[in-house]
């Protein structure tokens, strides 16, 4: 796994016939890849490098399937080689939900750059987490997103206001979602996902 901070998202067009574009900043990213791919990414850990690697792995997986006459799509095989999960940090002194539109837009821009139908990510301030899954429209511009309920990392403080103990259950719950979502970042919600997201929004 490769963790990275501060990806600048190159400008992407939402509608080819309109002036609507998206650009922004992803605060954290995590990719899971085979050693060769991870090493290549670490040499230039940019969004455009990640786009190139996803394209290369999809092409290689398609060729691998063709040679073996397998029915699995190249995209599914590529997912086994490379995933990308993106986290947007909430603005300070602001309710997490107030940053949701910007976070969904940033993750949508990543999905279109990576040419993925689905992309998972999260919005957080460090203690509160909202998990987001983007579905890019295949037959029209734009897309939709689902969000999880708000998950909170509970931390006990002493009389001086210092953090002294993290609640194990809430930490385990957030860690479990992160672990699973990073591994399945290019996939829709499935039966193995442990919570049902709130319905699709646009």
């Amino acid at each position: 796994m490769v963790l990275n901070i501060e990806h600048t998202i190159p400008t992407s067009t939402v509608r080819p016939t309109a002036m609507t574009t998206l650009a922004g900043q992803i605060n954290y990213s995590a990719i899971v890849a085979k050693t060769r791919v991870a090493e290549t990414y670490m040499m230039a850990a940019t969004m455009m490098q990640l786009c190139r690697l996803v394209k290369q792995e999809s092409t290689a997986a398609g060729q691998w399937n063709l040679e073996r006459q397998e029915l699995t799509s190249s995209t599914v095989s590529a997912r086994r080689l490379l995933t990308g999960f993106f986290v947007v940090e909430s603005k300070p002194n602001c309710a997490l939900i107030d940053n949701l539109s910007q976070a969904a837009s940033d993750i949508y821009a990543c999905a279109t750059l990576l040419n993925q139908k689905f992309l998972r990510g999260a919005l957080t301030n460090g203690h509160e987490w909202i998990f987001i899954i983007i579905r890019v429209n295949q037959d029209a511009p734009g897309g939709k997103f689902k969000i999880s309920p708000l998950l909170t990392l509970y931390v006990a403080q002493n009389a001086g206001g210092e953090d002294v103990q993290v609640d194990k259950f809430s930490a385990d719950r957030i860690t479990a979602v992160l672990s699973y979502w990073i591994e399945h970042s290019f996939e829709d919600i499935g039966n193995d996902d442990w919570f049902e997201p709130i319905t699709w929004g646009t």
Side-chain angles (χ1 to χ4, degrees), residues 50-164:
L50 186 55
C51 292
R52 283 191 289 273
L53 289 170
V54 168
K55 185 176 180 181
Q56 288 171 7
E57 292 304 303
S58 295
T59 302
Q63 182 63 33
W64 189 88
N65 288 337
L66 184 63
E67 291 171 356
R68 289 158 182 76
Q69 297 183 335
E70 294 196 359
L71 298 176
T72 309
S73 72
S74 61
T75 304
V76 171
S77 294
R79 287 175 189 153
R80 297 182 187 138
L81 302 174
L82 180 64
T83 66
F85 182 84
F86 301 94
V87 179
V88 178
E89 190 174 345
S90 176
K91 294 176 183 174
N93 305 316
C94 185
L96 202 64
I97 198 70
D98 292 340
N99 290 276
L100 181 59
S101 295
Q102 182 63 49
S105 296
D106 290 343
I107 298 169
Y108 169 85
C110 292
T112 57
L113 284 168
L114 296 174
N115 196 28
Q116 296 298 318
K117 181 178 179 181
F118 296 100
L119 185 61
R120 301 183 188 211
L123 169 66
T124 186
N125 58 17
H127 287 264
E128 297 174 316
W129 291 77
I130 294 176
F131 290 90
I132 304 166
I133 181 167
I134 300 294
R135 183 178 71 189
V136 177
N137 292 340
Q138 299 300 292
D139 54 355
K144 296 184 176 184
F145 66 93
K146 285 183 180 180
I147 62 171
S148 73
L150 180 72
L151 301 181
T152 303
L153 178 65
Y154 294 103
V155 181
Q157 296 182 329
N158 61 19
E162 299 170 325
D163 293 347
V164 292

Side-chain angles (χ1 to χ4, degrees), residues 165-184:
Q165 185 174 359
V166 175
D167 174 65
K168 185 178 185 308
F169 175 76
S170 63
D172 287 349
R173 182 170 59 169
I174 292 168
T175 303
V177 177
L178 281 169
S179 176
Y180 188 86
W181 276 43
I182 289 169
E183 288 281 351
H184 299 271

